[in-house]
Amino acid sequence: MLDDLQSRFDLRTAPGPGIRAAVTGGAEGIDAATIDRCPDLALIAVCAVGYDKVDVAHARARGIAVTNTPDVLTEDTADTAIALMFAVYRRVALYDRYVRDGRWEKEGPPPLARKLTGRRIGILGLGRIGSAIAKRCAPFAGEIAYHSRTPVPGAPYRYAADTVALAAGVDVLVVATPGGKGTAGLVDRAVLDALGPDGTLINIARGSVVDEDALVAALAEGRLGAAGLDVFAHEPHVPETLLAMENVVLLPHQGSATVETRKAMADLVIANVEAFFAGKPLLTPVE
Ligand code: NAP
Ligand code: GLV
């Protein structure tokens, strides 16, 4: 994306006067102080759908527009959630390590995995990505339930009134909400205990949505069965305790990270910046 930006625009890499548009990633975002170091800023284009690291309220107060990259990454992120589910239940990463470590030859077959087909799956946040995950689960799930603050009209899944109720009625809880203040710690000890010792947590949303200390404790104490995590509270740091757990699959925030989708995201960022400089309507403004 850097080359494309460089060939089209006068690119600067440090904040300062004269900068009218800023491009940032979801993990980096942009804070109020950096925004204020750019007195001429009028657009922040985020190369991610999640903009929880952007101080949107401050940008709005300064009259700065914000864009993100919805839709183009939905399918790949949903695929990542499904990959994590299967990796946890069918022990894909563990078995791979078992073969590479020569344990198959030395010790014979490893312990059995668990069946995913027929499990009850709960989606926390039935938005674009949550819906794509639910669609993928439909052919193999026993039941699909969801919770979001507003029930989705026409959704063919059972609605749970809150997050604890959702967790209590499913085997797998998939977190697919945005991050930020509104969802911080939404998946807390009570939710994890409701999911229980046979339950699995999948998080492809943001680390901030899950109380990470409570998650580590629940796994360590056997109050939660397993987890598949693409995101963490303090990326790229992953709690040491998780690294040693065989019932946990860990990914380095790769939800949308395919060559095809990263290109589509970069194209959308550039299209937004071009529209801005051409005085045309932005393609995907954050409402
Ligand atoms: P979206 O379409 O806006 O969906 C978000 C869903 O979360 C909505 O159903 C919303 O419904 C629900 N929600 C919001 N606040 C909630 C709350 N407090 N309690 C319960 N539900 C709540 O967004 P999306 O495109 O699906 O993306 C979702 C998030 O996935 C992004 O914001 C990003 O953080 C994350 N993501 C991660 C990766 C990765 O690489 N791992 C990739 C892409 C996206 P209501 O408003 O009705 O509550
Ligand atoms: C990735 O995490 C995104 O929000 O697009």
Side-chain angles (χ1 to χ4, degrees):
M1 178 164 65
L2 204 58
D3 287 350
D4 282 338
L5 286 169
Q6 221 142 21
S7 64
R8 289 172 164 85
F9 309 104
D10 173 14
L11 206 63
R12 315 257 175 92
T13 51
I19 292 177
R20 294 182 58 210
V23 172
T24 185
E28 296 78 18
I30 183 165
D31 59 16
T34 310
I35 291 172
D36 285 343
R37 286 168 66 195
C38 305
D40 304 309
L41 195 63
L43 173 72
I44 297 168
V46 187
C47 190
V49 67
Y51 49 87
D52 46 294
K53 291 276 174 67
V54 174
D55 194 331
V56 175
H58 191 72
R60 284 219 172 104
R62 284 250 335 253
I64 298 166
V66 179
T67 62
N68 65 345
T69 59
D71 299 314
V72 293
L73 44 61
T74 294
E75 305 304 331
D76 277 347
T77 310
D79 285 348
T80 300
I82 302 298
L84 277 171
M85 269 183 225
F86 277 98
V88 170
Y89 271 87
R90 301 303 306 270
R91 299 184 147 187
V92 176
L94 185 71
Y95 287 170
D96 179 80
R97 290 197 294 274
Y98 195 84
V99 173
R100 288 172 199 270
D101 293 347
R103 293 179 64 190
W104 189 19
E105 272 196 318
K106 283 194 211 116
E107 301 171 35
L112 297 176
R114 300 287 304 278
K115 190 180 178 86
L116 179 59
T117 298
R119 299 280 172 188
R120 299 163 304 162
I121 295 172
I123 316 280
L124 181 58
L126 196 71
R128 288 172 290 247
I129 294 170
S131 300
I133 294 168
K135 274 190 198 130
R136 281 159 172 71
C137 293
F140 66 82
E143 189 202 24
I144 299 173
Y146 76 100
H147 171 70
S148 44
R149 291 166 302 177
T150 316
V152 177
Y157 316 115
R158 178 173 63 79
Y159 180 71
D162 58 48
T163 310
V164 171
L166 177 67
V170 298
D171 302 301
V172 184
L173 179 66
V174 188
V175 187
T177 65
K181 284 188 193 132
T183 55
L186 185 62
V187 177
D188 58 9
R189 181 181 172 133
V191 174
L192 297 169
D193 284 348
L195 195 51
D198 286 328
T200 294
L201 180 78
I202 303 292
N203 189 3
I204 52 80
R206 283 290 182 268
S208 60
V209 186
V210 177
D211 177 338
E212 199 167 76
D213 291 340
L215 172 64
V216 171
L219 286 164
E221 293 160 19
R223 286 183 286 106
L224 178 68
L229 308 170
D230 184 45
V231 288
F232 302 88
H234 306 289
E235 295 174 7
H237 174 73
V238 175
E240 193 78 21
T241 321
L242 290 180
L243 302 180
M245 290 179 175
E246 294 204 327
N247 52 346
V248 170
V249 176
L250 307 166
L251 303 183
H253 200 149
Q254 296 295 292
S256 67
T258 65
V259 171
E260 295 83 355
T261 289
R262 284 298 159 87
K263 182 174 183 321
M265 291 164 68
D267 288 348
L268 186 49
V269 167
I270 288 167
N272 272 305
V273 178
E274 281 183 332
F276 164 75
F277 280 116
K280 292 184 179 161
L282 298 169
L283 281 83
T284 48
V286 166
E287 302 299 340

